Amino acid sequence: MVKETYNRDYWKFWRLYKTRRGARAYAKKHSGGWMIIKMNPDLLTAKEKKHGLGTWLVGSTTEYLYYKARHSKTMDFEANYVAVEMWEDGELLAAFDEDGV
């Protein structure tokens, strides 16, 4: 069973970047565990598209794993949010190809 994170506003704690490089810089700079994710561009809101925001997300590893476990059965989570890199305290722990492998 997946432990609840109790973070109802979890997307406020994720950062959206135009480039992988920008997302990586955030993960390197901040302590804690971070996932760099390539998001499906179809999921961008009209406001995000208007402001030219990219599809590279960086967010908490714990939050990512929680929502992946929670939503994998109800939506194609891995197709919409592809894990690309995992960071811990500024160090790269794992790099995946863009297919999430």
Side-chain angles (χ1 to χ4, degrees):
M1 180 168 173
V2 177
K3 183 178 175 185
E4 286 285 340
T5 65
Y6 301 106
N7 186 359
R8 295 179 195 271
D9 298 325
Y10 67 97
W11 285 115
K12 290 181 182 178
F13 299 99
W14 290 69
R15 302 289 183 253
L16 195 57
Y17 288 91
K18 289 183 183 182
T19 65
R20 182 178 186 170
R21 182 176 170 184
R24 186 180 285 147
Y26 184 92
K28 283 182 183 179
K29 182 178 177 181
H30 293 85
S31 63
W34 301 98
M35 294 294 291
I36 295 177
I37 301 151
K38 180 72 172 162
M39 185 178 87
N40 179 343
D42 295 337
L43 298 177
L44 288 171
T45 66
K47 185 177 180 180
E48 290 167 337
K49 289 177 184 175
K50 180 181 175 186
H51 291 290
L53 296 178
T55 56
W56 290 95
L57 285 167
V58 61
S60 162
T61 301
T62 305
E63 295 284 339
Y64 172 78
L65 294 173
Y66 169 75
Y67 285 98
K68 179 180 176 182
R70 182 150 194 179
H71 296 294
S72 287
K73 292 183 175 122
T74 59
M75 65 181 269
D76 196 1
F77 190 88
E78 289 82 6
N80 288 314
Y81 302 99
V82 179
V84 179
E85 294 177 357
M86 182 185 293
W87 291 79
E88 181 74 32
D89 295 329
E91 298 291 326
L92 180 64
L93 295 181
F96 313 101
D97 68 22
E98 291 194 29
D99 293 325
V101 179

